[in-house]
Amino acid sequence: MSVPQRRVPAAQRGTRIRRRTTSAGVTAPGRARRLVAAGRPRHAGAAAPGVHGPHPVELAGLLNEVTVRLLTADTVPQALDRLAALAAGALPGAVRCSVALITEGGPVTVAAAGPAGETCDTVQYAEGNGPALEAARTRTLITSPDLAADRRWPELAAAARADGIAAVAAIPLDVRRHAVGALSVSLSTPGRLGPDLLLTAMAMAGQAEVLLGELHRREALTEGAAVDRAVGVIIAQRGCGVQEAYRILHDSAQRLGLDRVTVAERLVAAAARNRQPSP
């Protein structure tokens, strides 16, 4: 596994959670809803939902939409919001879809969409135990056809009943060199975790892993450029060496309680203002 499993227990202790939740009831546009819809096959010879899995043509269209939406996101959190909303609109029977991403030393980032299940998510991440975190920790598909009666997570039983959540499937996410996590799908009807739903959700998660890795790479390049510009400003202002400039930037970030990129961007902006001629 690319990301050490030791990262997950720290998140499971419920230390910090950064939550991003789209508006209740948000679904993907009609195109995604049509791609993998419950009720009837869309092509001649297509398998009935829940029997043989999604039709390849429909699945290809959905994965193309996942690619477009995630690659056009400005940030990783925005991409997670889009993935949750698209999954909630495209997966048959889903009343809530959430995406949890756990990075080393950082909080659990959670994006969610759908009209139900908010209490279940809150309890799961506060307690540090539940289907999504189990999927992230074990790197395996985790299913619960009857969450309210599942003995693995008794703390979720009351929340599941209150939210109207009956069944849950959590598909692991492994963003190479960056994070682990899970895509969770919640249903209001127990026992409806058929192949149509599971195969589609697994395909979406697999596509998302690659795309989120690319977004992380882009962010790293952007952050590196900002830090390099700030180091140049420090060298020009103080006449110090490169290593000393990096240390000054690092110490300033720690003293201010901000991340290094934020401090770098502020420093560059301040230097630009100081260079502007007085009116």
Side-chain angles (χ1 to χ4, degrees), residues 233 237 266-276:
V233 171
Q237 290 178 343
R266 292 183 179 181
L267 178 60
V268 172
R273 288 194 300 268
N274 291 337
R275 286 196 299 266
Q276 293 177 354

mmCIF file of all heavy atoms in Angstrom, residues 233 237 266-276:
data_model
loop_
_atom_site.group_PDB
_atom_site.id
_atom_site.type_symbol
_atom_site.label_atom_id
_atom_site.label_comp_id
_atom_site.label_asym_id
_atom_site.label_seq_id
_atom_site.Cartn_x
_atom_site.Cartn_y
_atom_site.Cartn_z
ATOM 1 N N VAL A 233 12.078 36.524 -1.947
ATOM 2 C CA VAL A 233 11.817 37.803 -1.291
ATOM 3 C C VAL A 233 12.644 37.921 -0.010
ATOM 4 O O VAL A 233 13.245 38.965 0.273
ATOM 5 C CB VAL A 233 10.315 37.947 -0.980
ATOM 6 C CG1 VAL A 233 10.056 39.169 -0.086
ATOM 7 C CG2 VAL A 233 9.515 38.067 -2.270
ATOM 8 N N GLN A 237 15.451 40.696 0.885
ATOM 9 C CA GLN A 237 15.252 41.616 1.999
ATOM 10 C C GLN A 237 16.340 41.502 3.061
ATOM 11 O O GLN A 237 16.759 42.510 3.655
ATOM 12 C CB GLN A 237 13.881 41.377 2.631
ATOM 13 C CG GLN A 237 12.706 41.804 1.756
ATOM 14 C CD GLN A 237 11.369 41.492 2.406
ATOM 15 O OE1 GLN A 237 11.292 40.696 3.352
ATOM 16 N NE2 GLN A 237 10.303 42.111 1.907
ATOM 17 N N ARG A 266 1.312 35.529 1.486
ATOM 18 C CA ARG A 266 1.171 36.839 2.118
ATOM 19 C C ARG A 266 2.461 37.646 2.012
ATOM 20 O O ARG A 266 2.425 38.864 1.793
ATOM 21 C CB ARG A 266 0.769 36.668 3.585
ATOM 22 C CG ARG A 266 -0.638 36.108 3.774
ATOM 23 C CD ARG A 266 -0.995 36.026 5.252
ATOM 24 N NE ARG A 266 -2.344 35.511 5.437
ATOM 25 C CZ ARG A 266 -2.928 35.359 6.623
ATOM 26 N NH1 ARG A 266 -2.261 35.687 7.728
ATOM 27 N NH2 ARG A 266 -4.142 34.889 6.723
ATOM 28 N N LEU A 267 3.586 36.980 2.164
ATOM 29 C CA LEU A 267 4.866 37.671 2.084
ATOM 30 C C LEU A 267 5.095 38.228 0.682
ATOM 31 O O LEU A 267 5.528 39.379 0.515
ATOM 32 C CB LEU A 267 5.987 36.709 2.464
ATOM 33 C CG LEU A 267 7.421 37.257 2.400
ATOM 34 C CD1 LEU A 267 7.563 38.444 3.343
ATOM 35 C CD2 LEU A 267 8.420 36.166 2.760
ATOM 36 N N VAL A 268 4.801 37.429 -0.325
ATOM 37 C CA VAL A 268 4.973 37.879 -1.710
ATOM 38 C C VAL A 268 4.026 39.039 -2.019
ATOM 39 O O VAL A 268 4.411 40.013 -2.676
ATOM 40 C CB VAL A 268 4.740 36.708 -2.681
ATOM 41 C CG1 VAL A 268 4.708 37.197 -4.126
ATOM 42 C CG2 VAL A 268 5.816 35.646 -2.503
ATOM 43 N N ALA A 269 2.779 38.936 -1.532
ATOM 44 C CA ALA A 269 1.814 40.011 -1.772
ATOM 45 C C ALA A 269 2.253 41.301 -1.104
ATOM 46 O O ALA A 269 2.130 42.400 -1.672
ATOM 47 C CB ALA A 269 0.440 39.586 -1.271
ATOM 48 N N ALA A 270 2.793 41.202 0.120
ATOM 49 C CA ALA A 270 3.262 42.396 0.839
ATOM 50 C C ALA A 270 4.439 43.023 0.116
ATOM 51 O O ALA A 270 4.537 44.254 -0.005
ATOM 52 C CB ALA A 270 3.644 42.023 2.266
ATOM 53 N N ALA A 271 5.338 42.189 -0.403
ATOM 54 C CA ALA A 271 6.485 42.713 -1.130
ATOM 55 C C ALA A 271 6.051 43.422 -2.405
ATOM 56 O O ALA A 271 6.613 44.463 -2.777
ATOM 57 C CB ALA A 271 7.450 41.575 -1.459
ATOM 58 N N ALA A 272 5.036 42.875 -3.062
ATOM 59 C CA ALA A 272 4.528 43.504 -4.284
ATOM 60 C C ALA A 272 3.906 44.865 -3.983
ATOM 61 O O ALA A 272 4.079 45.825 -4.741
ATOM 62 C CB ALA A 272 3.521 42.587 -4.957
ATOM 63 N N ARG A 273 3.179 44.968 -2.876
ATOM 64 C CA ARG A 273 2.587 46.256 -2.494
ATOM 65 C C ARG A 273 3.664 47.284 -2.165
ATOM 66 O O ARG A 273 3.535 48.463 -2.508
ATOM 67 C CB ARG A 273 1.652 46.068 -1.285
ATOM 68 C CG ARG A 273 0.359 45.354 -1.607
ATOM 69 C CD ARG A 273 -0.646 45.514 -0.466
ATOM 70 N NE ARG A 273 -0.120 44.951 0.780
ATOM 71 C CZ ARG A 273 -0.310 43.717 1.181
ATOM 72 N NH1 ARG A 273 -0.985 42.871 0.411
ATOM 73 N NH2 ARG A 273 0.178 43.279 2.339
ATOM 74 N N ASN A 274 4.718 46.849 -1.523
ATOM 75 C CA ASN A 274 5.797 47.780 -1.144
ATOM 76 C C ASN A 274 6.548 48.299 -2.370
ATOM 77 O O ASN A 274 7.141 49.391 -2.321
ATOM 78 C CB ASN A 274 6.773 47.089 -0.208
ATOM 79 C CG ASN A 274 6.151 46.805 1.165
ATOM 80 O OD1 ASN A 274 5.196 47.473 1.560
ATOM 81 N ND2 ASN A 274 6.681 45.807 1.848
ATOM 82 N N ARG A 275 6.535 47.509 -3.462
ATOM 83 C CA ARG A 275 7.237 47.944 -4.668
ATOM 84 C C ARG A 275 6.439 48.944 -5.495
ATOM 85 O O ARG A 275 6.972 49.605 -6.372
ATOM 86 C CB ARG A 275 7.579 46.724 -5.544
ATOM 87 C CG ARG A 275 8.718 45.886 -5.002
ATOM 88 C CD ARG A 275 9.249 44.949 -6.070
ATOM 89 N NE ARG A 275 8.214 44.028 -6.534
ATOM 90 C CZ ARG A 275 8.031 42.813 -6.036
ATOM 91 N NH1 ARG A 275 8.775 42.399 -5.023
ATOM 92 N NH2 ARG A 275 7.099 42.019 -6.512
ATOM 93 N N GLN A 276 5.129 49.036 -5.215
ATOM 94 C CA GLN A 276 4.289 49.965 -5.980
ATOM 95 C C GLN A 276 4.641 51.406 -5.623
ATOM 96 O O GLN A 276 4.813 51.751 -4.451
ATOM 97 C CB GLN A 276 2.810 49.706 -5.688
ATOM 98 C CG GLN A 276 2.317 48.367 -6.196
ATOM 99 C CD GLN A 276 0.867 48.100 -5.831
ATOM 100 O OE1 GLN A 276 0.251 48.878 -5.104
ATOM 101 N NE2 GLN A 276 0.329 47.017 -6.343
#
